[in-house]
Amino acid sequence: MVRIATFNVNSVKARLPNLLAWLKAEAPDVVLLQEIKCVDEAFPALEIEDLGYQVAVHGQKTYNGVAILSRLPLEDITPRLPGATGSEDDQPDAQARYIEALVDGKIRVCCLYLPNGNPISEDRKFGYKLRWMDKLVDRARILLETEPDLPVVIAGDYNVCPTDDDVYDPKGWADDALCRPESRQRFRALLHMGYTDAIRAVTKAPGVYTFWDYQAGAWQKDHGLRIDHLLLNPAAADKLANAGVDRKPRGEQKASDHTPTWVELTLD
DNA sequence: ATGGTCGCCGAGCGA
């Protein structure tokens, strides 16, 4: 059994005590982190390695930044979205939002932090998000075509609520970039080409959330959104044993505004 | 309630 979790930590330095406590308590085999908000050199690798994890980081100053933690060997590490360009600031790979790696030679994991996209009136925000999603769809298709028998997990903070069941107030959020049809259409493109939304494969219940804003008592009122997702290619979906959201970290002191989401695959 | 709350870093942006 291999357990893979995704967790937007909203600064790995500010969240280090919470992250270390959660790693000790849950000991997932692989953890995909988003919004580490630091350069590679500032990533607290020693503390995490002490818990038995190997670390692959794609950092950036102040904003964004992603990382993969693994108790199993990592190889084939690619700290960018393959196929995307990044020389200009408006190009999909200009920001540190993607890293992928092969775990123990048997699972490819892709860790992403998709652009938020608000406000939808600004092309440098919403247009950037949609172009970034187009590049992700391209990459997802290439992975299906080139290694269909290798389990692949594409997970992270998608900044997309796939349906109104994933939003506490669908009418209030209808014109937000997280809920717009253009964002949802691109998310569905991933499902239509053969990827499985792991949470939706184990429950059809509405109101499963992974993010609660810091403002206005959103956590206390359960005013949440489901925007952190684990998508499985058919080879991985065949091995799906369970999936869920771990709400406990969101209730701790100094919590991130996101909480971990996980999947278990029956692989040796 | 024309704000609210965090984290970046030391003003205002991003979420």
Side-chain angles (χ1 to χ4, degrees):
Chain A
M1 189 76 78
V2 174
R3 193 156 84 258
I4 301 169
T6 179
F7 188 7
N8 179 323
V9 290
N10 185 18
S11 169
V12 71
K13 286 184 278 184
R15 214 66 57 211
L16 191 58
N18 305 55
L19 175 62
L20 294 175
W22 174 74
L23 289 173
K24 285 178 191 168
E26 301 298 332
D29 300 290
V30 182
V31 180
L32 311 182
L33 298 180
Q34 300 87 35
E35 280 204 88
I36 61 171
K37 292 187 173 179
C38 66
V39 295
D40 293 7
E41 298 72 30
F43 189 86
L46 293 178
E47 293 92 328
I48 291 169
E49 286 164 355
D50 279 348
L51 298 182
Y53 289 91
Q54 186 179 339
V55 171
V57 182
H58 181 31
Q60 178 184 332
K61 182 179 161 66
T62 309
Y63 302 120
N64 312 310
V66 288
I68 299 173
L69 319 180
S70 178
R71 302 168 73 87
L72 301 163
L74 288 176
E75 53 191 311
D76 212 5
I77 296 163
T78 307
R80 75 190 107 83
L81 182 55
T85 51
S87 56
E88 298 295 328
D89 193 50
D90 61 344
Q91 292 300 304
D93 211 40
Q95 303 172 2
R97 295 180 174 276
Y98 187 98
I99 183 170
E100 69 174 57
L102 185 62
V103 176
D104 204 23
K106 63 189 182 191
I107 314 170
R108 193 169 298 285
V109 294
C110 308
C111 171
L112 65 91
Y113 173 49
L114 225 145
N116 174 292
N118 283 303
I120 59 172
S121 57
E122 290 188 29
D123 179 74
R124 72 181 187 93
K125 292 294 188 179
F126 193 45
Y128 182 75
K129 174 182 196 151
L130 299 180
R131 288 190 289 277
W132 205 98
M133 292 191 82
D134 288 339
K135 295 295 183 186
L136 177 65
V137 168
D138 290 345
R139 179 61 184 157
R141 182 174 288 112
I142 284 171
L143 288 170
L144 284 183
E145 289 170 353
T146 57
E147 34 189 27
D149 299 326
L150 180 75
V152 175
V153 179
I154 306 178
D157 179 357
Y158 279 72
N159 267 317
V160 176
C161 300
T163 75
D164 282 354
D165 282 352
D166 305 305
V167 191
Y168 73 95
D169 175 17
K171 286 180 180 164
W173 283 75
D175 279 326
D176 191 280
L178 280 59
C179 297
R180 287 286 300 174
E182 298 92 330
S183 309
R184 289 178 168 176
Q185 182 273 324
R186 286 163 174 81
F187 185 85
R188 284 198 305 275
L190 297 168
L191 305 182
H192 291 150
M193 76 172 71
Y195 286 88
T196 294
D197 178 343
I199 291 293
R200 279 300 171 236
V202 301
T203 179
K204 299 297 175 194
V208 176
Y209 305 135
T210 65
F211 164 88
W212 299 259
D213 198 281
Y214 285 126
Q215 299 186 65
W219 167 248
Q220 287 75 13
K221 292 185 268 192
D222 198 26
H223 286 180
L225 308 171
R226 190 173 73 95
I227 55 177
D228 300 273
H229 309 294
L230 298 127
L231 266 54
L232 314 179
N233 78 340
D238 282 349
K239 305 291 186 183
L240 173 61
N242 203 1
V245 176
D246 181 1
R247 293 171 59 106
K248 201 185 312 166
R250 185 62 181 84
E252 305 282 359
Q253 291 297 311
K254 288 271 292 174
S256 169
D257 41 4
H258 296 249
T259 212
T261 305
W262 55 270
V263 63
E264 282 181 345
L265 305 178
T266 52
L267 291 163
D268 300 329

PDB file of all heavy atoms in Angstrom, chain A residues 6 26 36 61 64 73 96 101 106 133 138-139 159 173 180 182 193 195-197 204 213 227 231 239 243-244 259 264:
ATOM      1  N   THR A   6      -1.634  15.370  -0.619  1.00  0.00           N
ATOM      2  CA  THR A   6      -1.318  16.710  -1.131  1.00  0.00           C
ATOM      3  C   THR A   6      -1.724  17.725  -0.075  1.00  0.00           C
ATOM      4  O   THR A   6      -2.754  17.571   0.590  1.00  0.00           O
ATOM      5  CB  THR A   6      -2.020  16.996  -2.475  1.00  0.00           C
ATOM      6  OG1 THR A   6      -1.690  18.326  -2.897  1.00  0.00           O
ATOM      7  CG2 THR A   6      -3.531  16.860  -2.378  1.00  0.00           C
ATOM      8  N   GLU A  26       0.897  10.997  10.756  1.00  0.00           N
ATOM      9  CA  GLU A  26       0.265  10.274   9.643  1.00  0.00           C
ATOM     10  C   GLU A  26       1.261   9.494   8.785  1.00  0.00           C
ATOM     11  O   GLU A  26       0.873   8.520   8.128  1.00  0.00           O
ATOM     12  CB  GLU A  26      -0.517  11.258   8.760  1.00  0.00           C
ATOM     13  CG  GLU A  26      -1.616  12.013   9.508  1.00  0.00           C
ATOM     14  CD  GLU A  26      -2.678  11.078  10.071  1.00  0.00           C
ATOM     15  OE1 GLU A  26      -2.895   9.992   9.497  1.00  0.00           O
ATOM     16  OE2 GLU A  26      -3.282  11.436  11.100  1.00  0.00           O
ATOM     17  N   ILE A  36       5.001  26.786  -0.889  1.00  0.00           N
ATOM     18  CA  ILE A  36       6.061  26.761   0.123  1.00  0.00           C
ATOM     19  C   ILE A  36       6.637  28.169   0.337  1.00  0.00           C
ATOM     20  O   ILE A  36       7.206  28.463   1.374  1.00  0.00           O
ATOM     21  CB  ILE A  36       7.163  25.758  -0.233  1.00  0.00           C
ATOM     22  CG1 ILE A  36       7.844  26.097  -1.555  1.00  0.00           C
ATOM     23  CG2 ILE A  36       6.607  24.337  -0.262  1.00  0.00           C
ATOM     24  CD1 ILE A  36       9.091  25.261  -1.847  1.00  0.00           C
ATOM     25  N   LYS A  61      11.045  32.891  -4.604  1.00  0.00           N
ATOM     26  CA  LYS A  61      10.975  33.887  -3.533  1.00  0.00           C
ATOM     27  C   LYS A  61       9.543  34.409  -3.378  1.00  0.00           C
ATOM     28  O   LYS A  61       8.879  34.712  -4.374  1.00  0.00           O
ATOM     29  CB  LYS A  61      11.923  35.041  -3.874  1.00  0.00           C
ATOM     30  CG  LYS A  61      12.000  36.145  -2.842  1.00  0.00           C
ATOM     31  CD  LYS A  61      13.004  37.205  -3.296  1.00  0.00           C
ATOM     32  CE  LYS A  61      12.824  38.527  -2.589  1.00  0.00           C
ATOM     33  NZ  LYS A  61      13.125  38.457  -1.152  1.00  0.00           N
ATOM     34  N   ASN A  64       4.260  31.216  -4.434  1.00  0.00           N
ATOM     35  CA  ASN A  64       4.237  29.914  -5.111  1.00  0.00           C
ATOM     36  C   ASN A  64       5.241  28.937  -4.485  1.00  0.00           C
ATOM     37  O   ASN A  64       5.510  28.996  -3.318  1.00  0.00           O
ATOM     38  CB  ASN A  64       4.485  30.094  -6.622  1.00  0.00           C
ATOM     39  CG  ASN A  64       3.618  31.176  -7.212  1.00  0.00           C
ATOM     40  OD1 ASN A  64       2.416  31.173  -6.998  1.00  0.00           O
ATOM     41  ND2 ASN A  64       4.215  32.109  -7.936  1.00  0.00           N
ATOM     42  N   PRO A  73      12.456   6.068  -2.801  1.00  0.00           N
ATOM     43  CA  PRO A  73      13.416   6.802  -3.634  1.00  0.00           C
ATOM     44  C   PRO A  73      12.748   7.613  -4.742  1.00  0.00           C
ATOM     45  O   PRO A  73      11.806   7.141  -5.386  1.00  0.00           O
ATOM     46  CB  PRO A  73      14.291   5.690  -4.235  1.00  0.00           C
ATOM     47  CG  PRO A  73      14.092   4.505  -3.364  1.00  0.00           C
ATOM     48  CD  PRO A  73      12.724   4.608  -2.782  1.00  0.00           C
ATOM     49  N   ALA A  96       6.965  29.163 -10.148  1.00  0.00           N
ATOM     50  CA  ALA A  96       7.282  27.813  -9.643  1.00  0.00           C
ATOM     51  C   ALA A  96       6.010  27.127  -9.156  1.00  0.00           C
ATOM     52  O   ALA A  96       5.661  27.184  -7.974  1.00  0.00           O
ATOM     53  CB  ALA A  96       8.310  27.903  -8.513  1.00  0.00           C
ATOM     54  N   ALA A 101       7.977  13.724 -10.443  1.00  0.00           N
ATOM     55  CA  ALA A 101       9.054  12.768 -10.173  1.00  0.00           C
ATOM     56  C   ALA A 101       8.505  11.352 -10.238  1.00  0.00           C
ATOM     57  O   ALA A 101       7.300  11.124 -10.112  1.00  0.00           O
ATOM     58  CB  ALA A 101       9.674  13.023  -8.802  1.00  0.00           C
ATOM     59  N   LYS A 106       7.928   3.217  -9.750  1.00  0.00           N
ATOM     60  CA  LYS A 106       6.633   2.574  -9.995  1.00  0.00           C
ATOM     61  C   LYS A 106       5.423   3.497 -10.002  1.00  0.00           C
ATOM     62  O   LYS A 106       4.342   3.066 -10.385  1.00  0.00           O
ATOM     63  CB  LYS A 106       6.415   1.459  -8.976  1.00  0.00           C
ATOM     64  CG  LYS A 106       6.338   1.931  -7.547  1.00  0.00           C
ATOM     65  CD  LYS A 106       6.344   0.735  -6.579  1.00  0.00           C
ATOM     66  CE  LYS A 106       6.222   1.221  -5.147  1.00  0.00           C
ATOM     67  NZ  LYS A 106       6.478   0.144  -4.184  1.00  0.00           N
ATOM     68  N   MET A 133      -3.757  25.922 -17.530  1.00  0.00           N
ATOM     69  CA  MET A 133      -4.551  24.685 -17.540  1.00  0.00           C
ATOM     70  C   MET A 133      -4.442  23.971 -18.885  1.00  0.00           C
ATOM     71  O   MET A 133      -4.409  22.730 -18.929  1.00  0.00           O
ATOM     72  CB  MET A 133      -6.020  24.973 -17.216  1.00  0.00           C
ATOM     73  CG  MET A 133      -6.246  25.432 -15.789  1.00  0.00           C
ATOM     74  SD  MET A 133      -7.988  25.461 -15.295  1.00  0.00           S
ATOM     75  CE  MET A 133      -8.245  23.718 -14.880  1.00  0.00           C
ATOM     76  N   ASP A 138      -2.316  19.279 -21.835  1.00  0.00           N
ATOM     77  CA  ASP A 138      -1.356  18.722 -22.808  1.00  0.00           C
ATOM     78  C   ASP A 138      -0.440  17.701 -22.124  1.00  0.00           C
ATOM     79  O   ASP A 138      -0.205  16.608 -22.662  1.00  0.00           O
ATOM     80  CB  ASP A 138      -0.485  19.832 -23.410  1.00  0.00           C
ATOM     81  CG  ASP A 138      -1.256  20.748 -24.347  1.00  0.00           C
ATOM     82  OD1 ASP A 138      -2.377  20.377 -24.748  1.00  0.00           O
ATOM     83  OD2 ASP A 138      -0.733  21.832 -24.673  1.00  0.00           O
ATOM     84  N   ARG A 139       0.106  18.074 -20.962  1.00  0.00           N
ATOM     85  CA  ARG A 139       1.017  17.185 -20.251  1.00  0.00           C
ATOM     86  C   ARG A 139       0.311  15.895 -19.811  1.00  0.00           C
ATOM     87  O   ARG A 139       0.865  14.797 -19.925  1.00  0.00           O
ATOM     88  CB  ARG A 139       1.606  17.909 -19.026  1.00  0.00           C
ATOM     89  CG  ARG A 139       2.553  17.057 -18.190  1.00  0.00           C
ATOM     90  CD  ARG A 139       3.749  16.607 -18.991  1.00  0.00           C
ATOM     91  NE  ARG A 139       4.644  15.699 -18.263  1.00  0.00           N
ATOM     92  CZ  ARG A 139       5.484  14.855 -18.849  1.00  0.00           C
ATOM     93  NH1 ARG A 139       5.554  14.793 -20.169  1.00  0.00           N
ATOM     94  NH2 ARG A 139       6.258  14.075 -18.129  1.00  0.00           N
ATOM     95  N   ASN A 159      -7.078  25.023  -7.597  1.00  0.00           N
ATOM     96  CA  ASN A 159      -7.838  26.275  -7.596  1.00  0.00           C
ATOM     97  C   ASN A 159      -9.053  26.186  -8.507  1.00  0.00           C
ATOM     98  O   ASN A 159      -9.412  27.158  -9.190  1.00  0.00           O
ATOM     99  CB  ASN A 159      -6.937  27.459  -7.957  1.00  0.00           C
ATOM    100  CG  ASN A 159      -6.359  28.143  -6.726  1.00  0.00           C
ATOM    101  OD1 ASN A 159      -7.066  28.366  -5.741  1.00  0.00           O
ATOM    102  ND2 ASN A 159      -5.074  28.462  -6.770  1.00  0.00           N
ATOM    103  N   TRP A 173     -20.414  32.279  -5.430  1.00  0.00           N
ATOM    104  CA  TRP A 173     -19.104  32.049  -6.033  1.00  0.00           C
ATOM    105  C   TRP A 173     -19.155  31.853  -7.544  1.00  0.00           C
ATOM    106  O   TRP A 173     -18.129  31.531  -8.171  1.00  0.00           O
ATOM    107  CB  TRP A 173     -18.442  30.828  -5.385  1.00  0.00           C
ATOM    108  CG  TRP A 173     -17.881  31.139  -4.032  1.00  0.00           C
ATOM    109  CD1 TRP A 173     -18.579  31.308  -2.878  1.00  0.00           C
ATOM    110  CD2 TRP A 173     -16.498  31.355  -3.706  1.00  0.00           C
ATOM    111  NE1 TRP A 173     -17.726  31.603  -1.839  1.00  0.00           N
ATOM    112  CE2 TRP A 173     -16.440  31.636  -2.325  1.00  0.00           C
ATOM    113  CE3 TRP A 173     -15.309  31.333  -4.443  1.00  0.00           C
ATOM    114  CZ2 TRP A 173     -15.240  31.897  -1.658  1.00  0.00           C
ATOM    115  CZ3 TRP A 173     -14.115  31.587  -3.775  1.00  0.00           C
ATOM    116  CH2 TRP A 173     -14.085  31.867  -2.409  1.00  0.00           C
ATOM    117  N   ARG A 180     -15.741  29.350 -12.409  1.00  0.00           N
ATOM    118  CA  ARG A 180     -16.180  29.731 -13.751  1.00  0.00           C
ATOM    119  C   ARG A 180     -16.227  28.517 -14.686  1.00  0.00           C
ATOM    120  O   ARG A 180     -15.387  27.606 -14.569  1.00  0.00           O
ATOM    121  CB  ARG A 180     -15.229  30.775 -14.334  1.00  0.00           C
ATOM    122  CG  ARG A 180     -15.383  32.140 -13.689  1.00  0.00           C
ATOM    123  CD  ARG A 180     -16.630  32.847 -14.120  1.00  0.00           C
ATOM    124  NE  ARG A 180     -16.629  33.060 -15.580  1.00  0.00           N
ATOM    125  CZ  ARG A 180     -17.663  33.557 -16.252  1.00  0.00           C
ATOM    126  NH1 ARG A 180     -18.776  33.881 -15.620  1.00  0.00           N
ATOM    127  NH2 ARG A 180     -17.578  33.711 -17.556  1.00  0.00           N
ATOM    128  N   GLU A 182     -15.192  28.210 -17.663  1.00  0.00           N
ATOM    129  CA  GLU A 182     -13.937  28.020 -18.407  1.00  0.00           C
ATOM    130  C   GLU A 182     -12.945  27.177 -17.596  1.00  0.00           C
ATOM    131  O   GLU A 182     -12.191  26.374 -18.153  1.00  0.00           O
ATOM    132  CB  GLU A 182     -13.300  29.377 -18.735  1.00  0.00           C
ATOM    133  CG  GLU A 182     -14.143  30.279 -19.634  1.00  0.00           C
ATOM    134  CD  GLU A 182     -15.039  31.221 -18.854  1.00  0.00           C
ATOM    135  OE1 GLU A 182     -15.471  30.852 -17.733  1.00  0.00           O
ATOM    136  OE2 GLU A 182     -15.332  32.325 -19.357  1.00  0.00           O
ATOM    137  N   MET A 193     -10.497  12.539 -20.567  1.00  0.00           N
ATOM    138  CA  MET A 193      -9.426  11.786 -21.240  1.00  0.00           C
ATOM    139  C   MET A 193      -9.036  10.542 -20.441  1.00  0.00           C
ATOM    140  O   MET A 193      -8.238   9.747 -20.909  1.00  0.00           O
ATOM    141  CB  MET A 193      -8.215  12.683 -21.518  1.00  0.00           C
ATOM    142  CG  MET A 193      -7.354  12.987 -20.339  1.00  0.00           C
ATOM    143  SD  MET A 193      -5.822  13.860 -20.810  1.00  0.00           S
ATOM    144  CE  MET A 193      -6.437  15.475 -21.257  1.00  0.00           C
ATOM    145  N   TYR A 195      -8.755  10.432 -16.585  1.00  0.00           N
ATOM    146  CA  TYR A 195      -8.320  10.575 -15.199  1.00  0.00           C
ATOM    147  C   TYR A 195      -9.518  10.500 -14.246  1.00  0.00           C
ATOM    148  O   TYR A 195     -10.617  10.935 -14.566  1.00  0.00           O
ATOM    149  CB  TYR A 195      -7.557  11.891 -15.001  1.00  0.00           C
ATOM    150  CG  TYR A 195      -6.165  11.853 -15.598  1.00  0.00           C
ATOM    151  CD1 TYR A 195      -5.956  12.209 -16.929  1.00  0.00           C
ATOM    152  CD2 TYR A 195      -5.071  11.423 -14.854  1.00  0.00           C
ATOM    153  CE1 TYR A 195      -4.693  12.153 -17.504  1.00  0.00           C
ATOM    154  CE2 TYR A 195      -3.802  11.368 -15.417  1.00  0.00           C
ATOM    155  CZ  TYR A 195      -3.622  11.735 -16.726  1.00  0.00           C
ATOM    156  OH  TYR A 195      -2.368  11.674 -17.287  1.00  0.00           O
ATOM    157  N   THR A 196      -9.260   9.948 -13.051  1.00  0.00           N
ATOM    158  CA  THR A 196     -10.287   9.763 -12.022  1.00  0.00           C
ATOM    159  C   THR A 196     -10.030  10.718 -10.860  1.00  0.00           C
ATOM    160  O   THR A 196      -8.914  10.758 -10.327  1.00  0.00           O
ATOM    161  CB  THR A 196     -10.246   8.316 -11.503  1.00  0.00           C
ATOM    162  OG1 THR A 196     -10.626   7.420 -12.560  1.00  0.00           O
ATOM    163  CG2 THR A 196     -11.210   8.128 -10.339  1.00  0.00           C
ATOM    164  N   ASP A 197     -11.057  11.463 -10.465  1.00  0.00           N
ATOM    165  CA  ASP A 197     -11.021  12.316  -9.280  1.00  0.00           C
ATOM    166  C   ASP A 197     -11.180  11.386  -8.066  1.00  0.00           C
ATOM    167  O   ASP A 197     -12.259  10.875  -7.801  1.00  0.00           O
ATOM    168  CB  ASP A 197     -12.179  13.325  -9.387  1.00  0.00           C
ATOM    169  CG  ASP A 197     -12.303  14.250  -8.193  1.00  0.00           C
ATOM    170  OD1 ASP A 197     -11.731  13.962  -7.123  1.00  0.00           O
ATOM    171  OD2 ASP A 197     -12.999  15.277  -8.336  1.00  0.00           O
ATOM    172  N   LYS A 204     -19.908  10.413  -3.285  1.00  0.00           N
ATOM    173  CA  LYS A 204     -20.663  11.357  -4.109  1.00  0.00           C
ATOM    174  C   LYS A 204     -21.266  12.463  -3.243  1.00  0.00           C
ATOM    175  O   LYS A 204     -21.968  13.334  -3.755  1.00  0.00           O
ATOM    176  CB  LYS A 204     -21.781  10.625  -4.866  1.00  0.00           C
ATOM    177  CG  LYS A 204     -21.274   9.543  -5.813  1.00  0.00           C
ATOM    178  CD  LYS A 204     -20.406  10.132  -6.919  1.00  0.00           C
ATOM    179  CE  LYS A 204     -19.808   9.020  -7.777  1.00  0.00           C
ATOM    180  NZ  LYS A 204     -18.715   9.516  -8.642  1.00  0.00           N
ATOM    181  N   ASP A 213     -11.316  29.787   3.982  1.00  0.00           N
ATOM    182  CA  ASP A 213     -10.648  31.082   4.075  1.00  0.00           C
ATOM    183  C   ASP A 213     -10.375  31.441   5.546  1.00  0.00           C
ATOM    184  O   ASP A 213     -11.093  31.014   6.447  1.00  0.00           O
ATOM    185  CB  ASP A 213     -11.527  32.166   3.436  1.00  0.00           C
ATOM    186  CG  ASP A 213     -10.746  33.409   3.099  1.00  0.00           C
ATOM    187  OD1 ASP A 213     -10.470  34.221   4.016  1.00  0.00           O
ATOM    188  OD2 ASP A 213     -10.395  33.591   1.928  1.00  0.00           O
ATOM    189  N   ILE A 227     -10.917  22.332  -3.554  1.00  0.00           N
ATOM    190  CA  ILE A 227     -10.051  22.785  -4.654  1.00  0.00           C
ATOM    191  C   ILE A 227      -8.745  22.005  -4.732  1.00  0.00           C
ATOM    192  O   ILE A 227      -7.990  22.175  -5.685  1.00  0.00           O
ATOM    193  CB  ILE A 227      -9.741  24.298  -4.546  1.00  0.00           C
ATOM    194  CG1 ILE A 227      -9.136  24.653  -3.195  1.00  0.00           C
ATOM    195  CG2 ILE A 227     -10.997  25.120  -4.805  1.00  0.00           C
ATOM    196  CD1 ILE A 227      -8.756  26.126  -3.064  1.00  0.00           C
ATOM    197  N   LEU A 231      -5.830  13.375  -9.028  1.00  0.00           N
ATOM    198  CA  LEU A 231      -6.334  12.739 -10.236  1.00  0.00           C
ATOM    199  C   LEU A 231      -5.464  11.528 -10.583  1.00  0.00           C
ATOM    200  O   LEU A 231      -4.232  11.613 -10.576  1.00  0.00           O
ATOM    201  CB  LEU A 231      -6.355  13.740 -11.404  1.00  0.00           C
ATOM    202  CG  LEU A 231      -7.698  14.475 -11.603  1.00  0.00           C
ATOM    203  CD1 LEU A 231      -8.162  15.152 -10.333  1.00  0.00           C
ATOM    204  CD2 LEU A 231      -7.618  15.464 -12.745  1.00  0.00           C
ATOM    205  N   LYS A 239      -5.821   0.673  -8.930  1.00  0.00           N
ATOM    206  CA  LYS A 239      -5.222   0.312  -7.641  1.00  0.00           C
ATOM    207  C   LYS A 239      -5.803   1.130  -6.489  1.00  0.00           C
ATOM    208  O   LYS A 239      -5.282   1.070  -5.365  1.00  0.00           O
ATOM    209  CB  LYS A 239      -3.704   0.543  -7.690  1.00  0.00           C
ATOM    210  CG  LYS A 239      -2.993  -0.176  -8.826  1.00  0.00           C
ATOM    211  CD  LYS A 239      -2.984  -1.671  -8.627  1.00  0.00           C
ATOM    212  CE  LYS A 239      -2.131  -2.357  -9.693  1.00  0.00           C
ATOM    213  NZ  LYS A 239      -2.191  -3.835  -9.541  1.00  0.00           N
ATOM    214  N   ALA A 243      -9.595   7.018  -0.336  1.00  0.00           N
ATOM    215  CA  ALA A 243      -9.181   8.418  -0.447  1.00  0.00           C
ATOM    216  C   ALA A 243      -9.977   9.216   0.569  1.00  0.00           C
ATOM    217  O   ALA A 243     -11.068   8.807   0.968  1.00  0.00           O
ATOM    218  CB  ALA A 243      -9.435   8.953  -1.860  1.00  0.00           C
ATOM    219  N   GLY A 244      -9.431  10.365   0.964  1.00  0.00           N
ATOM    220  CA  GLY A 244     -10.155  11.168   1.929  1.00  0.00           C
ATOM    221  C   GLY A 244      -9.505  12.513   2.177  1.00  0.00           C
ATOM    222  O   GLY A 244      -8.445  12.822   1.632  1.00  0.00           O
ATOM    223  N   THR A 259      -6.246  21.996   3.986  1.00  0.00           N
ATOM    224  CA  THR A 259      -5.958  20.813   4.803  1.00  0.00           C
ATOM    225  C   THR A 259      -5.550  19.658   3.892  1.00  0.00           C
ATOM    226  O   THR A 259      -5.888  19.667   2.700  1.00  0.00           O
ATOM    227  CB  THR A 259      -7.180  20.472   5.692  1.00  0.00           C
ATOM    228  OG1 THR A 259      -6.727  19.901   6.920  1.00  0.00           O
ATOM    229  CG2 THR A 259      -8.155  19.529   4.991  1.00  0.00           C
ATOM    230  N   GLU A 264      -4.920   6.214  -1.154  1.00  0.00           N
ATOM    231  CA  GLU A 264      -4.164   4.980  -0.927  1.00  0.00           C
ATOM    232  C   GLU A 264      -4.280   4.089  -2.154  1.00  0.00           C
ATOM    233  O   GLU A 264      -5.393   3.822  -2.637  1.00  0.00           O
ATOM    234  CB  GLU A 264      -4.701   4.216   0.293  1.00  0.00           C
ATOM    235  CG  GLU A 264      -4.253   4.801   1.612  1.00  0.00           C
ATOM    236  CD  GLU A 264      -4.777   4.009   2.806  1.00  0.00           C
ATOM    237  OE1 GLU A 264      -5.699   3.187   2.633  1.00  0.00           O
ATOM    238  OE2 GLU A 264      -4.259   4.234   3.912  1.00  0.00           O
TER     239      GLU A 264
END
